[in-house]
Amino acid sequence: MVSEKFPSIEDVLPHRGAMLLVDSIESYDETTITLSAKPKQNAWYSNQADEMPAWIGIELMAQAVAAWVGLTSKVHGLPVKRGVLLGTRSYVPAQAAFAVGVPLIIKAAPIYQDESGMGSFHCQIFQYDKCLVNAAINVFEPENFEIFLQQRKKDD
């Protein structure tokens, strides 16, 4: 599916309010998704200079992955499910923070997915034409998210 018109980001992500860090879907197909985001002024994540610390970028990437998974599910007539970010081996941003109001472009492309719900995605964050972060992130989409959460609480 490549279209000029995409669903709202809220239709493919469970995030709401201040936890929704991305703004819109810019492009999508079966191999990649591109989202846009603008760091907000006086946000919960703001550092002393009122910028978005670059470590928040891992969540921008996770939301891009979730948007790709959600939109892919919708395209195939399946419900949008929730998943979890497992982490990355290396996340080294080119700068310490992202300036308020300056657009970011976040890209995510699947590297690997299996039937158990495990997956790995190549993700990038750009500002204009400059790549600020390049990382592979690992995710898990459990079959039943509520049962997964209950099990995690028992294990803690």
Side-chain angles (χ1 to χ4, degrees):
M1 171 182 167
V2 177
S3 169
E4 297 303 312
K5 181 75 176 156
F6 300 105
S8 73
I9 200 69
E10 291 87 353
D11 288 341
V12 295
L13 288 181
H15 305 74
R16 295 293 182 266
M19 290 310 297
L20 181 60
L21 302 180
V22 294
D23 299 323
S24 63
I25 300 168
E26 300 298 318
S27 68
Y28 165 83
D29 63 32
E30 293 285 327
T31 64
T32 191
I33 193 165
T34 303
L35 304 180
S36 64
K38 279 188 185 175
K40 311 287 187 277
Q41 189 169 20
N42 299 317
W44 64 265
Y45 51 72
S46 296
N47 63 16
Q48 290 180 337
D50 199 27
E51 301 168 314
M52 176 188 276
W55 58 265
I56 297 287
I58 192 83
E59 179 61 23
L60 293 172
M61 291 176 169
Q63 289 187 22
V65 168
W68 184 88
V69 171
L71 193 48
T72 300
S73 294
K74 287 179 91 57
V75 165
H76 293 287
L78 301 170
V80 176
K81 296 188 328 186
R82 293 185 287 173
V84 293
L85 170 65
L86 297 177
T88 183
R89 285 187 171 199
S90 177
Y91 181 86
V92 182
Q95 58 194 49
F98 306 130
V100 168
V102 179
L104 298 172
I105 298 297
I106 305 98
K107 296 185 178 200
I111 298 168
Y112 168 81
Q113 290 181 285
D114 70 19
E115 294 171 9
S116 76
M118 299 294 287
S120 184
F121 287 74
H122 178 243
C123 299
Q124 297 174 297
I125 299 175
F126 292 87
Q127 198 168 62
Y128 306 113
D129 289 335
K130 182 180 179 186
C131 183
L132 301 178
V133 187
N134 189 10
I137 66 169
N138 302 313
V139 296
F140 178 59
E141 182 183 32
E143 186 61 36
N144 184 311
F145 194 79
E146 297 307 318
I147 291 173
F148 171 77
L149 284 181
Q150 289 172 2
Q151 185 60 46
R152 297 298 310 151
K153 287 178 184 176
K154 287 180 187 176
D155 292 344
D156 288 342

